Amino acid sequence: MRNSRILFICLIFLYRQLCQAQSHYPGQHQGKFALNDKFTPAVYAFDLHNVRLLDGRFKDNMLREQAWLRRLNTRQLLHSFRNNAGIFDANEGGYFLIKKYGGWESLDCDLRGHTTGHLLSGLALMYAQTGDEYYKLKSDSLVKGLAEVQAVLNQEGYLSAFPQELINRNIAGKSVWAPWYTLHKIFSGLIDQYLYCDNQQALNVAEKMGMWAYKKLQNVDSNQRSIMLRNEFGGINESFYNLYAITGKKEYQWLGQFFYHNEIIDLLKQRKDILAPKHANTFIPKLLGLTRNYELDGLGDSDTIAKFFWDTVIEHHTFATGSNSDKEHFFKPDELSKHLTGYTGETCNVYNMLKLTKHLFTHTREMKYIEYYEKALFNHILGQQDPATGMVSYFLPMLAGAHKVYSTPENSFWCCVGSGFENHAKYGESIYYHDDNGVFINLFIASQLNWKEKGLTLQQETSFPASGQTRFIITTAPTQPLALHFRFPSWAKSMSVLLNGKPQKIKTSAGSYSTLSRIWKPNDIVEISFPMELQLKATNDNSSKVSITYGPIVLAGKQGSVQMESPAPYSDPNKYNDYYTYQYNVPANIVTKLDINNQNIAESIEAMADQPLTFKAKKEGIILQPLYNIHHERYVVYWDLK
């Protein structure tokens, strides 16, 4: 049952799975699904339950994330919700004081409660990724607590850690910090609990919230609607479309359409780059809702608009790391070199761009989407987490001599902490895709795929990117012919394929797939090699300002830890945005120029013997390593060429 339901949320919502779900669960999915009969996906997403991470850097990050998830206290997470409903947490007949979380979860912060929504998603994803019942049990306790709050509030299904007055202020156009954004996180978390953890109570709570929203917004006129949509509402439209897909109830479809932001989307229809100076994480989720609507009901130009937006962001607003924005806002197109500050690369932007990328890849199977996904996953998301503590960074600074700054266990809870609970719990979701006849292997991450429907178990063993090699072992083989499509990355100068030790002649080119199709046998082994090389990547507005990559990996120059602030910032529970007050105090002697021969980079930069992924700029003596591996130290990503 669980696998069929999870397919709803795998970002493709394919016809066959939806029809199967409707027939399998007629009591849960009333009415007909209004699907776009013109939409035919190019590939299908695998259920996260069918992929397991094997030992490697990604699994290490996931294990650190698990430790943080286990430390977070359910009573503390529910406290603000219970406070809003007037529920006192009692122990043996007496009241006791609960330690309150700080930062964006403070009781006087408009966004309080958003972390619990993210955490519900993170726990659900972690349960799916690992199968560990602990995460389901902890999820169940949170959902039960939220259901209790919803019942005690008794406000036609309304549920939040703040009173409806914040919603009223938004509708009236008064100052308030993103109440629908916060509700979106709760909706999304509850839906994920239903899809990944089979929690029917979670769906019931989400449906009641949806019906409250439907009644609440029925009488909002067009002028009020225009005003309220100028406030950040996250991906609330996506959640309503997902509820519509699961239940078939038109009220949720209406809600999804209500949050269609005409003032923004209608300009994108004209293929105009209107991004600057808009708040990036407000902007990107609007396209996620648009894409879901296309997949379900097929508004004719929705897919075209989403693809134009994606192309615009990637081609004109994205750093070498796959991140974007400066102080959370888009800037003018093709001005990257003017925005290398300490506040570039908000992690939530990358989180949402990756979600949109997955949608568009399933629509088209175009390689450019996976090329971006790999870039952003390895260079930003993987390096967001501090290996020493498991905490995460809000920004990925491009300022020469800056460094990563991390959250605290109980006094931050920014949006990027919340999305971080999801980022490091779902690494397995885009490694593999499939069509009816085969598997598309997109990412080189140590993992195991179990495609039960085809009788295939595939194990990928790799130390990539330390090595440009990966090995696939067929553990369980199907009885019918099956194709394995191996991505030939555009950054690879060549690619070789061995099947059981024998070279295979495969005609393909970089930026496409190499395919082996046969009746596989248990213990068949495919070995792929793709040599990597150093390259310079110039900013799109200054050919002399470059980053250095090795394959898809961005290398940064290590600059030591002189004059770094201690203790870490962001520790004051009463400050919500103190990251903007942080001073990097970059020393004047930071090296920002390199003498590099463009025609032969190896003359200027050498690999360090016996030190994987470590290089040295010969003249300057600067050590270069993957940006994702540099922590608690200053670095330089973009260099001036001498």
Side-chain angles (χ1 to χ4, degrees):
M1 290 178 64
R2 172 170 57 224
N3 292 345
S4 294
R5 280 189 279 184
I6 290 172
L7 288 170
F8 284 121
I9 203 68
C10 283
L11 303 174
I12 46 179
F13 290 77
L14 306 173
Y15 303 133
R16 293 177 298 167
Q17 285 88 342
L18 285 168
C19 293
Q20 290 170 0
Q22 189 176 10
S23 60
H24 291 174
Y25 310 110
Q28 297 174 16
H29 303 284
Q30 300 295 330
K32 296 181 179 179
F33 292 101
L35 299 177
N36 172 13
D37 58 7
K38 297 180 181 178
F39 170 56
T40 303
V43 286
Y44 303 76
F46 275 105
D47 181 342
L48 190 58
H49 286 270
N50 296 138
V51 181
R52 292 286 183 264
L53 296 185
L54 302 179
D55 290 346
R57 178 56 189 276
F58 284 94
K59 186 175 180 180
D60 290 343
N61 268 28
M62 184 183 72
L63 292 174
R64 284 186 285 266
E65 176 70 18
Q66 289 176 5
W68 195 3
L69 290 175
R70 287 173 178 266
R71 288 199 305 269
L72 289 168
N73 185 279
T74 301
R75 279 197 179 95
Q76 287 173 270
L77 289 163
L78 290 173
H79 178 69
S80 57
F81 289 88
R82 287 171 170 161
N83 182 73
N84 186 41
I87 301 173
F88 294 95
D89 201 332
N91 181 24
E92 298 181 356
Y95 299 118
F96 62 90
L97 183 64
I98 296 176
K99 182 181 178 182
K100 302 172 183 64
Y101 284 136
W104 289 16
E105 285 301 326
S106 299
L107 290 178
D108 61 346
C109 179
D110 288 357
L111 296 187
R112 59 190 181 274
H114 78 107
T115 300
T116 298
H118 275 298
L119 195 69
L120 285 171
S121 291
L123 289 167
L125 293 165
M126 193 66 79
Y127 173 63
Q129 184 74 91
T130 66
D132 189 334
E133 289 290 327
Y134 171 86
Y135 302 106
K136 185 178 186 305
L137 291 173
K138 188 162 188 172
S139 300
D140 290 346
S141 66
L142 281 172
V143 172
K144 182 179 179 181
L146 292 174
E148 178 192 15
V149 169
Q150 187 180 51
V152 172
L153 280 172
N154 193 25
Q155 296 177 17
E156 300 185 289
Y158 177 72
L159 170 64
S160 182
F162 50 73
Q164 284 199 54
E165 175 57 25
L166 270 65
I167 301 292
N168 297 337
R169 282 159 54 185
N170 171 230
I171 293 174
K174 297 179 181 179
S175 177
V176 65
W177 191 6
W180 289 103
Y181 168 94
T182 304
L183 291 186
H184 162 240
K185 306 311 173 189
I186 301 170
F187 270 112
S188 185
L190 290 167
I191 292 170
D192 284 342
Q193 283 294 315
Y194 169 69
L195 294 168
Y196 291 102
C197 298
D198 296 325
N199 193 320
Q200 180 65 46
Q201 186 178 39
L203 179 61
N204 292 342
V205 173
E207 281 207 68
K208 291 175 183 177
M209 289 177 68
M211 288 303 178
W212 159 81
Y214 179 74
K215 293 177 183 177
K216 184 80 173 179
L217 298 175
Q218 279 292 293
N219 296 320
V220 174
D221 62 34
S222 59
N223 183 58
Q224 286 176 295
R225 173 181 172 275
S226 177
I227 292 171
M228 68 172 284
L229 292 187
R230 294 171 188 170
N231 186 284
E232 183 176 8
F233 55 79
I236 192 74
N237 48 359
E238 179 191 16
S239 287
F240 287 136
Y241 284 127
N242 289 340
L243 275 178
Y244 169 53
I246 293 170
T247 67
K249 294 180 180 179
K250 291 287 188 177
E251 291 90 342
Y252 305 134
Q253 181 192 37
W254 182 91
L255 283 165
Q257 293 170 346
F258 179 92
F259 282 92
Y260 177 95
H261 195 181
N262 304 73
E263 292 181 17
I264 298 297
I265 303 301
D266 288 350
L267 289 174
L268 287 177
K269 285 183 182 181
Q270 302 173 31
R271 302 184 68 82
K272 294 180 179 180
D273 186 341
I274 58 167
L275 274 59
K278 295 178 176 62
H279 186 259
N281 199 44
T282 297
F283 205 122
I284 302 169
K286 300 179 195 296
L287 281 300
L288 289 170
L290 194 70
T291 300
R292 287 298 298 117
N293 193 24
Y294 168 75
E295 292 165 350
L296 294 171
D297 275 338
L299 291 180
D301 52 4
S302 296
D303 198 42
T304 301
I305 296 169
K307 289 173 182 175
F308 169 73
F309 171 81
W310 189 93
D311 288 338
T312 300
V313 173
I314 301 306
E315 294 173 11
H316 304 288
H317 297 268
T318 299
F319 298 106
T321 56
S323 57
N324 60 66
S325 76
D326 183 8
K327 287 190 175 181
E328 305 186 31
H329 290 75
F330 287 121
F331 43 81
K332 291 181 180 179
D334 302 319
E335 290 193 353
L336 294 180
S337 71
K338 299 177 183 178
H339 290 273
L340 304 178
T341 76
Y343 312 106
T344 49
E346 182 187 355
T347 301
C348 277
N349 295 348
V350 180
Y351 160 84
N352 278 313
M353 282 300 295
L354 289 178
K355 289 182 70 174
L356 181 60
T357 299
K358 287 181 292 181
H359 278 281
L360 298 180
F361 177 71
T362 61
H363 296 185
T364 66
R365 211 191 72 197
E366 288 186 58
M367 187 68 74
K368 66 180 182 180
Y369 296 115
I370 289 301
E371 297 276 355
Y372 168 74
Y373 197 100
E374 177 183 62
K375 176 194 296 185
L377 185 69
F378 276 84
N379 295 306
H380 190 121
I381 299 300
L382 186 63
Q384 179 204 16
Q385 186 194 81
D386 175 16
T389 65
M391 299 297 102
V392 296
S393 61
Y394 196 118
F395 296 112
L396 185 59
M398 293 292 106
L399 174 69
H403 55 86
K404 300 172 187 175
V405 184
Y406 309 101
S407 59
T408 57
E410 297 185 352
N411 286 327
S412 302
F413 295 114
W414 326 302
C415 54
C416 297
V417 171
S419 58
F421 288 131
E422 301 178 44
N423 287 333
H424 308 294
K426 59 176 183 177
Y427 286 130
E429 70 177 5
S430 288
I431 303 173
Y432 310 100
Y433 286 81
H434 72 92
D435 60 13
D436 289 339
N437 303 310
V439 177
F440 292 84
I441 299 164
N442 288 327
L443 300 176
F444 309 117
I445 296 175
S447 54
Q448 179 178 284
L449 169 68
N450 183 7
W451 193 2
K452 297 177 183 178
E453 291 78 7
K454 294 290 187 180
L456 172 72
T457 305
L458 176 71
Q459 185 161 304
Q460 180 178 180
E461 298 176 348
T462 184
S463 61
F464 179 84
S467 167
Q469 297 178 327
T470 188
R471 185 170 184 255
F472 300 91
I473 303 171
I474 306 296
T475 305
T476 304
T479 57
Q480 300 297 319
L482 188 75
L484 296 182
H485 307 281
F486 304 95
R487 181 168 70 94
F488 186 166
S490 62
W491 45 258
K493 58 185 179 182
S494 63
M495 180 175 177
S496 62
V497 180
L498 300 178
L499 173 59
N500 297 326
K502 297 180 180 179
Q504 303 297 299
K505 293 183 179 180
I506 298 177
K507 294 182 179 180
T508 191
S509 58
S512 60
Y513 288 96
S514 298
T515 300
L516 289 178
S517 184
R518 68 195 302 260
I519 297 179
W520 298 93
K521 300 177 181 179
N523 300 318
D524 276 346
I525 296 175
V526 179
E527 296 170 280
I528 309 292
S529 298
F530 27 76
M532 294 183 282
E533 60 183 352
L534 293 166
Q535 290 185 308
L536 300 183
K537 303 288 187 180
T539 58
N540 49 17
D541 60 327
N542 185 346
S543 61
S544 296
K545 182 79 72 173
V546 303
S547 62
I548 303 169
T549 61
Y550 182 65
I553 306 303
V554 173
L555 302 176
K558 302 181 71 174
Q559 300 280 342
S561 56
V562 177
Q563 297 179 24
M564 284 176 56
E565 245 183 67
S566 182
Y570 306 171
S571 58
D572 186 343
N574 299 311
K575 292 184 178 180
Y576 308 143
N577 295 317
D578 54 337
Y579 39 81
Y580 285 134
T581 68
Y582 184 70
Q583 300 298 317
Y584 289 96
N585 296 320
V586 178
N589 62 347
I590 287 290
V591 177
T592 60
K593 295 183 179 181
L594 293 181
D595 190 352
I596 301 177
N597 181 350
N598 279 326
Q599 305 304 314
N600 188 352
I601 301 174
E603 282 186 2
S604 310
I605 300 175
E606 62 180 349
M608 303 292 287
D610 302 321
Q611 298 184 53
L613 293 173
T614 302
F615 302 84
K616 184 177 182 179
K618 293 181 180 179
K619 291 185 177 180
E620 295 79 9
I622 297 293
I623 299 300
L624 300 165
Q625 288 185 340
L627 179 57
Y628 68 73
N629 266 344
I630 299 178
H631 297 272
H632 302 281
E633 185 171 357
R634 299 184 184 278
Y635 58 78
V636 175
V637 172
Y638 280 99
W639 305 88
D640 293 313
L641 294 180
K642 291 183 180 178

